[in-house]
Amino acid sequence: MKKIKVSAPGKLMLFGEHAVVYGHPCIVTAIDQRVNVSVERTLRSFVGIEAPDMRVTDYKKEVSLLGKDVNIPKGVKFLEIAVKNFFEKYKVRSGLKIKTKSEFSSEFGFGSSSAVTVGVTKALSELFNVGLKRQELFDLSYKTVLDILGVGSGFDLAAAIWGGTLWFVGGGKTVIPLQKEELPIVVGYTGIKADTPSLVRQVAELRKGKSKLVEEIFKSITSITKEGRDSLERGDCVRVGQLMNLNQTLLMALGVNTKELSLLINAARSAGALGAKLSGAGGGDCMIALVEPNKRLVVERAIEQAGGKVLKVNTNAEGVRNE
Ligand code: PMV
């Protein structure tokens, strides 16, 4: 039977996290570490899933029961709900065999759930000849993410779909591809897995109690994001670095920074990075530093000495594609 293979990239947030949840813009870049998804039809009555990176082997779910169980294992949730949403929307049903393989750990905060959601939805679109356009692929994948997490701007889905470096406004209302050059970035992993939905809720709580203040912070983040876009397009790395530092200060004000992130960020700055900040929700995961090529090794070593793990990542990667 016909087998469709696709891959979708992970992502890093450059500017605008948290503010993007409230309709402000952000800048996200797709990275060259990908999640591979293969899908084929079977004559069986169930969907079978193999996702060894998520410690899932030989998972089976009757097509008529997709999404019905309250305790769907974490490792298959996005796949199962994505299939259910696709079947419902396009009035198709079939037994399926789905396999996933990720080039990066789901612990890093590179957006493996979003990449897998985009990957399987795109593969189903090919398998059933639906020919989803990018925006339709976004909308259907975003529904899956919201069905599961209840919160999120969808920026990571946009990165997985469009690839490159994007100007993104929450909910996918605006997606604009930006300059195409590779960004000289060093990525440091704190070793701590962050829980994005609870950090988003934490900021929502702060916003409830201190709405004026938090709105002011979001406005400042938006100014930084706008200037970040201009500076990126001009290739002004020094200014981009300064803006990353400013963005980090505002993320600290939102209360999402941690001691471990600060250690890596300060180490990178002291070793000569042009700027450094957390990337994503905060609470752990990764930090990024903008680094001139001649300083890369020193900065990488400083991050490691501060307890971080340096992850080799290139930015501006291609969006979801057939393999
Ligand atoms: O933790 P990550 O890498 O998934 O990034 C979350 C970014 C937020 O702006 C905090 C949430 C969102 O959905 O935009």
Side-chain angles (χ1 to χ4, degrees), residues 27-197:
I27 300 178
V28 57
T29 189
I31 58 171
D32 63 348
Q33 303 208 7
R34 309 182 72 86
V35 176
N36 295 284
V37 181
S38 75
V39 180
E40 59 190 304
R41 290 179 79 152
T42 66
L43 297 173
R44 319 293 280 270
S45 60
F46 58 82
V47 171
I49 298 176
E50 303 273 342
D53 307 298
M54 304 301 289
R55 282 177 228 95
V56 174
T57 46
D58 208 20
Y59 178 80
K60 290 191 179 80
K61 189 70 164 274
E62 286 294 319
V63 171
S64 58
L65 295 178
L66 285 171
K68 294 257 162 69
D69 189 346
V70 276
N71 291 318
I72 303 171
K74 216 169 144 234
V76 295
K77 229 179 209 170
F78 289 86
L79 287 165
E80 182 172 331
I81 303 298
V83 172
K84 169 182 163 270
N85 284 340
F86 185 91
F87 281 4
E88 278 175 3
K89 174 133 187 150
Y90 294 101
K91 315 256 177 303
V92 286
R93 52 189 291 158
S94 166
L96 295 174
K97 187 150 118 197
I98 302 177
K99 284 190 186 161
T100 70
K101 177 113 197 62
S102 181
E103 291 170 6
F104 59 89
S105 159
S106 61
E107 304 281 297
F108 294 160
F110 284 170
S112 54
S113 305
S114 294
V116 105
T117 302
V118 165
V120 74
T121 308
K122 165 83 174 167
L124 290 170
S125 155
E126 303 279 315
L127 196 64
F128 292 94
N129 296 316
V130 172
L132 285 179
K133 305 248 165 31
R134 281 169 166 175
Q135 189 64 47
E136 293 165 329
L137 179 55
F138 178 89
D139 292 341
L140 193 52
S141 303
Y142 192 38
K143 175 176 167 35
T144 297
V145 169
L146 288 183
D147 284 351
I148 296 167
L149 299 179
V151 290
S153 65
F155 79 104
D156 36 11
L157 299 167
I161 295 169
W162 276 266
T165 300
L166 304 172
W167 173 266
F168 174 87
V169 181
K173 287 190 276 292
T174 312
V175 182
I176 302 174
L178 301 182
Q179 56 94 41
K180 283 288 175 201
E181 269 129 68
E182 169 70 37
L183 279 173
I185 265 178
V186 172
V187 181
Y189 175 53
T190 56
I192 296 159
K193 170 90 193 107
D195 179 34
T196 302

Side-chain angles (χ1 to χ4, degrees), residues 238-259:
V238 172
R239 190 64 188 142
V240 174
Q242 287 166 348
L243 292 164
M244 285 169 71
N245 288 341
L246 283 170
N247 196 159
Q248 170 65 13
T249 305
L250 293 165
L251 288 163
M252 289 169 83
L254 288 176
V256 296
N257 190 47
T258 64
K259 190 174 84 236

Side-chain angles (χ1 to χ4, degrees), residues 11 17-18 20-21 109 152-153 155 196 200 280-281:
K11 54 80 195 145
E17 44 273 269
H18 287 289
V20 67
V21 176
S153 65
F155 79 104
T196 302
V200 170

